[in-house]
Amino acid sequence: MDITPPASEDITVVLIDSTTPDALVRCVQQVVRTGGGCQVVVVSARATSLPSHLARRTRTVRVSEAAALDGAAASEASARALVLVAPTSAAFSTGWPAAVRERARVHSQTISVVGAHGRSILVVPRAVTDVRASRSSWVGATGLRLRESAQEVTARRTISAVMIVKDEEEVLDECLTALVPFVDEVVVYDTGSTDRTVDIARSHGVVVVEGYWNDHFGDARNRALEHATSDWVIQVDADEVMEGDVDAWRRQLDTDPYDQISITIISTAHRGSTTGLTTQPSRIFRRGYYRWTGALHEYPLALPGIPARGMSPQQPPVRLMHSGYQPQRTAERNKAMRNLALSTKELEATPKGDPERAVLLSNQGRTLLWAGKTDEALEVLEELRTTPGNPTSIVIGGRAALEVLLASHRTDEVEPWLEVMASSGEAPGNIAVYRARKHIKLNEPTAALDAVSSLTDGGGTDPWGMPFDPARAQVIEAAAKISLGDPHTGADLLLDLVRTASDAVPFDLIVNAVSAAGRRLVEIAGIAPNQFIERTIREASAMHPVVALEWFEALHEANPHDRRPVVAGNLFAARAAWTVALAWSVRARELGLEEVCALRGLGENQSMPVADRVMAWLVLASVLGEHDAPEQVSRLVAHTDPRDLLVLRSHAEQHGLDASTLVTSARISLSSTAATPLVLMGEQR
């Protein structure tokens, strides 16, 4: 009998409540956030209190005393299921479910152990029903670790996330779900929502304040700040999703001697992407040391009399993925016009020569870009380029200007910006990459290679202390090699980056490189880390459907048990030929995903050819036994030309499908017309 668990098997996580109530909440949050649909069981010797959205996902086993905790956990692990047992001092991060399933598959008769000395995480495969079974140590467990001591769990600086929101029901749930594991408190200050925003916030158990809006972001943030109670504060917007290393983040907050910390924000072009315009604003500071100033693109200003210790040179191990300026979100919310009115008002009130004018020009220029007023934006940013006084604003505005200039092939305007940005402290590596991108646009790949090959000292740092990412130069090198007719080298460079810095790899570039080299996309899929897979599944949605399906096919070939490409493949195959839809529907059923069916989607898709829709329903009826399929066939063929039905019947029978419905419908249709009688194919006498 085969006792090897399938890779898609559900995991039951048993948490032993052995530390503090806060640690329990944080641990359950991490499991729920990173564990997909896994079941969560808490074994506790005390009354537990979890936020409602976590309590709904959790089953609690209550014991009378702490000495009985291990025995109760062992009972849960003795069921014939894949079980992970961990103390609440454990930390869970992205990737652990796949690692656990693979470990259980390879060591199906053995309990795998992470840690030692009475503090350990156990992986119990479903074939093991005796928790005294043999055990093996697991070194380097992906996504799983034990904190070094109890003090690390209990003795820490606290942090509050402070948000101002209005009508954010579309994105708030995703934001809060990602945010809660990183902070001790969330304050949501609502400025007058008319949708479900407030209800969504309350469902997460956060502090909700129903406030007001006075056309001033700084004022609103200060009103929200009054409700925070932690040592540190971080400003987060509803259209941002936090990701990173929770434990390293906590360690920095505990030990960083400075008062402010900047954070990387990536404004992505579409949902799911991990690349885009990158900034590092000051969003994190000690509570009681700063207040917000500015009506738009506000920033923290030290309170009078506070001996501030300045900005930390250490970048935190977290980042915010920002979707608010994606075209669809901007159009839906009319954010750009709102921001434009605020930035225009501030700029008009500030005369030339004022030290603040550079900041406001940068705000105005970027807001005009988001409003789609490209020419006006570049005029404002050109004034910024020649306005002294604020180097960081010049770098921020310059990055925005360069993206537009390069996208619109206005390459002759690039160098003046590079000169002023270099003198304003932009990283030499970033300058080199922008220059190289200009040469790529001009079809000068050799000059592009020269630009990035001249880098020394690692490319330097930008005005916020962020070191240059050498992966950006390697992407340029790959693009240049492809342009020079060497796609093999370009593909190899990008494949190396997939292994080491996958966020830097443009998906369309690596697909083109591998394809141009005559190689298969499975070569990428076989080495792709989890976050690259998740990103590219979403990015593929914006590409040609054929390319998207080829990528999903490659991902499925590399890991047949991964459900994600199968779900995506079915969604796309519902807009393809019925034979393609059939292949993806079968894959979905093999993984127990009967509810995901490309054939049914194709049959219901009125924009697809009737022939493909009819064949989809015939397959569902004849092969997959869907009970409602014959009725759907009859409904479709009732409105189909009888001559087309004859062709469809022949096609169906060639594939071994029951075409009797088509025969009956064709006979009825033909007998009711005055056309020349036709002999039904296959029924000659």
Side-chain angles (χ1 to χ4, degrees), residues 77-94:
S78 298
R80 188 171 287 278
L82 174 54
V83 179
L84 183 146
V85 182
T88 50
S89 58
F92 296 78
S93 56
T94 302

Side-chain angles (χ1 to χ4, degrees), residues 340-352:
L340 185 57
L342 295 176
S343 64
T344 300
K345 182 179 178 180
E346 280 194 303
L347 184 61
E348 289 176 347
T350 307
K352 291 187 177 182

Side-chain angles (χ1 to χ4, degrees), residues 3 18 31 39 55 78 127 269 281 310 353 386 457 467 484 547 555 577 596 645 659 674:
I3 56 175
S18 55
V31 173
Q39 302 177 57
S78 298
T386 57
D457 299 327
L484 289 169
V547 177
L555 289 171
V596 180
L645 292 179

Side-chain angles (χ1 to χ4, degrees), residues 236 275 360 396 504 579 612 663 667 683:
V236 179
T275 58
L360 301 179
I396 292 172
T579 50
D612 276 307
V663 174
R667 183 183 291 114
E683 293 193 352

